[in-house]
Amino acid sequence: MNESTIFKQIIDGEIPASIVYEDDQCLAFHDVAPQAPIHILVIPKKEIPSIDQIKSEDKELIGHLFLVIQTIAREQGLAEDGYRVICNCGENGGQTVFHLHYHLMGGCNLQWPPGSSAPKENC
Ligand code: AMP
C-alpha cells in the first residue's frame, strides 16, 4: 500500500488546510507557501498521482476542475486582471506532492517565464 500524500490527509480531514471550496469531487485550499498574493491549490478527491496517470474515464473530472478554478478565480477577484494555472508533472516538472493539483495564482502581474529570478515584490 502506498503511503498517503499530504493532500489525501487534507481530503480526509487528518491535517488542517485553509479551504476555499469543496464539493463531492474536489477540494481547494490556500497553498501553505504562497508564491503570489493569491495562491490556491485545486485537487481532485480521487487519488490521481499526476497528469501522467490521468485516464480517459477522468475526462469529466478534469473538466470539472477547470470550471471550479474559473469559479474560484472569479470569487477571489482574479478574473478581470487574469491569473495563471500551473500543473507540475513529475520530478523534472517540479512536482513535490504526488496527488494531482492545479496551482491557481494571481493578484499581481506574474513574471514569465516561471522560475525567472525576478524579485518577489514584482511578483
Ligand atoms: P508541487 O511542487 O507542484 O507538487 O506543489 C506542491 C505545493 O503544495 C507547494 O506549492 C507547497 O507549498 C504546497 N503544500 C505542501 N504542503 C501543503 C499543505 N499542508 N497545505 C497547503 N499547501 C501545501
Side-chain angles (χ1 to χ4, degrees), residues 7 27-29 39-44 51 54 61-63 65-66 69 84-88 99-105:
F7 291 173
L27 189 63
F29 48 90
H39 185 170
I40 290 167
L41 301 172
V42 181
I43 70 172
I51 286 183
I54 293 172
L61 170 61
I62 300 303
L65 292 176
F66 276 94
I69 288 168
R84 183 172 295 160
V85 179
I86 294 174
C87 186
N88 298 323
H99 181 116
L100 181 68
H101 54 281
Y102 294 97
H103 298 254
L104 167 60
M105 304 169 78

Side-chain angles (χ1 to χ4, degrees), residues 40-113:
I40 290 167
L41 301 172
V42 181
I43 70 172
K45 289 186 174 175
K46 180 176 178 182
E47 287 185 278
I48 301 171
S50 79
I51 286 183
D52 202 49
Q53 280 82 33
I54 293 172
K55 296 191 166 75
S56 61
E57 70 203 33
D58 300 320
K59 273 194 288 196
E60 207 165 310
L61 170 61
I62 300 303
H64 177 69
L65 292 176
F66 276 94
L67 288 172
V68 167
I69 288 168
Q70 181 193 74
T71 299
I72 297 169
R74 288 176 182 173
E75 284 172 2
Q76 297 284 329
L78 300 177
E80 193 176 331
D81 291 335
Y83 50 89
R84 183 172 295 160
V85 179
I86 294 174
C87 186
N88 298 323
C89 179
E91 209 178 320
N92 277 3
Q95 187 175 7
T96 58
V97 179
F98 287 83
H99 181 116
L100 181 68
H101 54 281
Y102 294 97
H103 298 254
L104 167 60
M105 304 169 78
C108 66
N109 196 339
L110 293 158
Q111 297 296 309
W112 189 263

